[in-house]
Amino acid sequence: MLKRRLGRTDLSVTAISFGGLPLQRCTMEEASSVLDAVLQKGINFIDTARAYTDSEEKIGRYLANRRSEFYLATKSMARDKVSMAKDIDLSLATLKMDYIDLYQIHNIKTREDLDAVLAPDGALEALIEAKAQHKIGHIGVTGHSVPLLIEAIQTGHFSTVQVPFNFIEQDPLKELFPLAKKLDLGIIVMKPLGGGQITHTDLALKWILSHDITAAIPGMDSVEQVQENFAALTDYQPLTPVEVALLSKEAKEIGPNFCRRCGYCMPCTVNIDIPQTFIFHLQYTRYGLKEAIPERYANLPAKASECIECGICETRCPYDLPIRERLKQVAADLEK
């Protein structure tokens, strides 16, 4: 089992670990099977968040009595001290646990976010107090903006940094990862499969493992996905030139501006399932499912053409995607 040291936390975690965002798409029974498979395989690091609807609840229901088998990370979007303190206690209660190994400030997206967190009576103060009270073990930060994360970790307050990194998104390699290693921070990779867009799962994960990161946390919502992701961990070999070429071809086809299915854009004002709508469009345009997809799309309760262009979704998207324009294209292609 390939394990790596999570920076100065000194926790030894499996290099492929569990991302809990898709767990919110599972029923309670499905979540039980997925989480059991994770621990059965020996994966020992589980990451979730307050924002992932009932992900914490599912983990608490099925894993609270197996607490010694894994390290636990969660995170909050709170920016002020009072709200963060409340979220820490909510996490503990929902997870049915009295200790969280890593609590992270979630999704630093703007300068205002970072300033608020670090200000007097900001979220960081609540985390420092929770650590002193032994409610949490370590403090981390997550985000999609590499420049803001670089600034955040230079403050010295954080023991881990979590950022998107995959064969398509390689920006962290230039400055963030070297700085994190210099500061002895654990490096947690989110979106290692591009939110499910990268289909060469085994190759994509092995490519990530060839870099000096601590753990990749692909999201998993089925036992089959657990098994598939675990294979990269147990049968790790450097990629061949042919395999690298396969990844390069897929990266070129996907392009840099794609939906990662994180769901941060939701809920939609008029109840459009934006990630699912984009998945259908991708399957229609990229995979040539010209007959099946329009039929499935037609069953959605709200269509892309119903967008009122309020723009709220775009303010939430961590990748600043032009969601309104893309919904217009979906409508043009799938509502003929």
Side-chain angles (χ1 to χ4, degrees):
M1 176 68 68
L2 179 61
K3 294 181 180 179
R4 294 178 176 176
R5 175 177 170 271
L6 189 63
R8 59 188 184 219
T9 71
D10 274 336
L11 304 179
S12 179
V13 302
T14 44
I16 300 294
S17 289
F18 179 77
L21 187 151
L23 202 63
Q24 61 190 327
R25 298 196 287 265
C26 296
T27 65
M28 282 292 176
E29 292 72 23
E30 290 167 343
S32 173
S33 298
V34 171
L35 292 168
D36 183 65
V38 167
L39 295 192
Q40 288 291 338
K41 290 294 186 182
I43 294 172
N44 76 343
F45 181 63
I46 291 175
D47 177 271
T48 184
R50 292 291 312 143
Y52 300 165
T53 61
D54 62 356
S55 180
E56 284 188 338
E57 179 186 354
K58 288 167 177 169
I59 291 168
R61 176 175 296 194
Y62 296 113
L63 297 187
N65 63 346
R66 303 178 66 177
R67 186 65 178 89
S68 62
E69 297 179 46
F70 62 94
Y71 298 114
L72 177 65
T74 191
K75 43 195 178 288
S76 165
M77 297 277 286
R79 301 302 186 231
D80 64 87
K81 182 177 181 179
V82 172
S83 299
M84 179 60 79
K86 179 181 178 181
D87 270 0
I88 293 169
D89 287 340
L90 278 171
S91 289
L92 290 166
T94 306
L95 289 160
K96 303 182 187 303
M97 301 174 192
D98 58 9
Y99 180 79
I100 294 167
D101 298 283
L102 174 65
Y103 211 101
Q104 302 156 103
I105 293 174
H106 192 184
N107 192 24
I108 293 295
K109 183 181 179 183
T110 66
R111 161 67 48 194
E112 290 74 20
D113 285 339
L114 183 58
D115 288 346
V117 163
L118 299 176
D121 291 323
L124 180 63
E125 286 191 6
L127 289 164
I128 292 171
E129 289 186 6
K131 183 177 179 182
Q133 295 164 356
H134 305 291
K135 293 180 178 180
I136 66 174
H138 306 279
I139 301 171
V141 62
T142 85
H144 299 73
S145 168
V146 169
L148 284 174
L149 289 176
I150 287 172
E151 187 171 343
I153 67 175
Q154 286 176 321
T155 65
H157 293 301
F158 304 104
S159 296
T160 64
V161 61
Q162 183 178 146
V163 66
F165 177 60
N166 52 59
F167 197 80
I168 303 171
E169 302 172 274
Q170 300 186 27
D171 283 352
L173 281 174
K174 300 172 186 176
E175 188 175 353
L176 178 62
F177 286 177
L179 177 61
K181 294 300 294 186
K182 180 181 178 181
L183 298 174
D184 197 23
L185 268 65
I187 299 173
I188 304 169
V189 169
M190 65 166 121
K191 305 293 185 294
L193 302 176
Q197 299 279 18
I198 300 173
T199 58
H200 296 291
T201 300
D202 187 53
L203 301 184
L205 291 177
K206 288 181 178 179
W207 180 84
I208 286 174
L209 292 179
S210 71
H211 293 84
D212 195 10
I213 61 97
T214 309
I217 51 169
M220 311 176 209
D221 59 13
S222 71
V223 173
E224 291 74 23
Q225 288 176 1
V226 175
Q227 294 169 339
E228 186 176 10
N229 293 336
F230 184 75
L233 187 62
T234 56
D235 185 31
Y236 172 69
Q237 297 291 333
L239 297 185
T240 67
V242 172
E243 291 170 333
V244 172
L246 282 173
L247 286 177
S248 297
K249 181 176 182 294
E250 185 168 36
K252 185 176 181 180
E253 291 172 351
I254 296 172
N257 299 313
F258 60 95
C259 174
R260 280 76 168 178
R261 298 175 63 194
C262 65
Y264 292 164
C265 58
M266 300 290 283
C268 168
T269 304
V270 293
N271 297 317
I272 299 170
D273 187 336
I274 297 169
Q276 185 61 62
T277 297
F278 288 163
I279 290 169
F280 281 156
H281 192 246
L282 175 75
Q283 292 170 334
Y284 178 84
T285 57
R286 184 177 171 202
Y287 300 118
L289 302 177
K290 301 299 184 181
E291 294 182 6
I293 292 306
E295 293 179 4
R296 295 175 65 187
Y297 173 79
N299 291 323
L300 290 177
K303 307 298 186 295
S305 59
E306 297 175 46
C307 172
I308 60 174
E309 298 196 52
C310 65
I312 295 174
C313 55
E314 293 182 3
T315 67
R316 297 171 179 158
C317 177
Y319 292 94
D320 297 317
L321 296 180
I323 296 173
R324 288 171 289 181
E325 289 303 312
R326 293 195 175 190
L327 287 173
K328 290 178 184 177
Q329 188 61 54
V330 173
D333 290 342
L334 298 183
E335 300 179 33
K336 297 176 182 177

